[in-house]
Amino acid sequence: EVQLVETGGGLIQPGGSLRLSCAASGFTVSGNFMSWVRQAPGKGLEWVSIIYNNGSTYYADSVKGRFTISRDHSKNTLYLQMNTLRAEDTAIYHCARVGTYYDPLTGYSPGWFDPWGQGTLVTVSS
Amino acid sequence: EIVLTQSPATLALSPGERATLSCRASQSVSSYLAWYQQKPGQAPRLLIYDASNRATGIPARFSGSGSGTDFTLTISSLEPEDFAVYYCQQRSSWSPLTFGGGTKVEIK
């Protein structure tokens, strides 16, 4: 069964750091595009970051320079290192596998998020 | 960045009724649009991709249509388990991938 389980959330003071983990089963993290998507309390979905199977990484402008996405092949786990946290980073953070599409001109590009993990809550507050 | 606007924000219907949800893009996304369902306390679930293709295991009462800037998710006859929030997402302009603000389908 394909499954994603996030851990690592919690209450953290502004300016602090936290590392989220996303353990995958039923498929290999390093062989897929993987992403983090967050959802502020009572709000909609916001894409945060993506890592391609070739290791390329991309970030939303709101987290660029503060967050780092990475993976560990041996543990089949995706990570999100979050530094210099702000109140507006408070959200449930979901990891998701990202489907890909191939274009002969541009190569592989990200598509849809499927499946998703249940998420882990990060609260940034003093 | 491509902005997706969903309407209405809330849709109040009874079981058995037809639901029609709209998603409008600020510029053309061709057919590169997906729909997700999210129930309280649960992860989002992919329903439709590439505007009209049902994901694996999604019932036939869910259908998607549209291209360019205007898209529709239709639930032909609402089941009790369909009351949830629905989001659209585009992949045409991949950086960043963007979501709509959501439509809540609630029981009338």
Side-chain angles (χ1 to χ4, degrees), chain A residues 1-4 22-34 51-53 71-78 96-98:
Chain A
E1 180 190 6
V2 174
Q3 192 175 15
L4 295 165
C22 169
S25 55
F27 72 100
T28 59
V29 165
S30 58
N32 285 269
F33 284 30
M34 297 293 297
I51 183 166
Y52 285 17
N53 56 351
R71 64 194 180 197
D72 185 324
H73 177 74
S74 65
K75 295 181 179 178
N76 206 29
T77 298
L78 178 73
R97 184 177 62 180
V98 185

Side-chain angles (χ1 to χ4, degrees), chain A residues 92-109:
Chain A
I92 295 173
Y93 284 74
H94 298 276
C95 63
R97 184 177 62 180
V98 185
T100 57
Y101 292 82
Y102 181 75
D103 184 292
L105 295 177
T106 59
Y108 286 97
S109 61

Side-chain angles (χ1 to χ4, degrees), chain B residues 1-9 21-27 29 33-35 68-73 86-90 98-103:
Chain B
E1 172 178 320
I2 293 180
V3 176
L4 299 177
T5 302
Q6 291 188 242
S7 62
L21 287 66
S22 174
C23 178
R24 177 165 290 178
S26 59
Q27 58 185 277
V29 298
L33 191 103
W35 291 92
T69 60
D70 291 296
F71 300 86
T72 300
L73 174 69
Y86 293 84
Y87 295 96
C88 56
Q89 175 239 329
Q90 64 82 23
T98 54
F99 293 89
T103 290

Side-chain angles (χ1 to χ4, degrees), chain A residues 29-102:
Chain A
V29 165
S30 58
N32 285 269
F33 284 30
M34 297 293 297
S35 193
W36 289 95
V37 177
R38 68 185 180 183
Q39 188 168 29
K43 302 297 183 181
L45 302 168
E46 179 190 15
W47 172 75
V48 172
S49 181
I50 191 169
I51 183 166
Y52 285 17
N53 56 351
N54 67 4
S56 298
T57 59
Y58 301 91
Y59 301 91
D61 287 344
S62 57
V63 306
K64 200 172 294 182
R66 300 188 298 123
F67 290 12
T68 303
I69 191 171
S70 64
R71 64 194 180 197
D72 185 324
H73 177 74
S74 65
K75 295 181 179 178
N76 206 29
T77 298
L78 178 73
Y79 300 101
L80 186 67
Q81 177 67 43
M82 304 185 296
N83 298 330
T84 319
L85 282 161
R86 307 167 179 166
E88 55 265 34
D89 296 319
T90 294
I92 295 173
Y93 284 74
H94 298 276
C95 63
R97 184 177 62 180
V98 185
T100 57
Y101 292 82
Y102 181 75

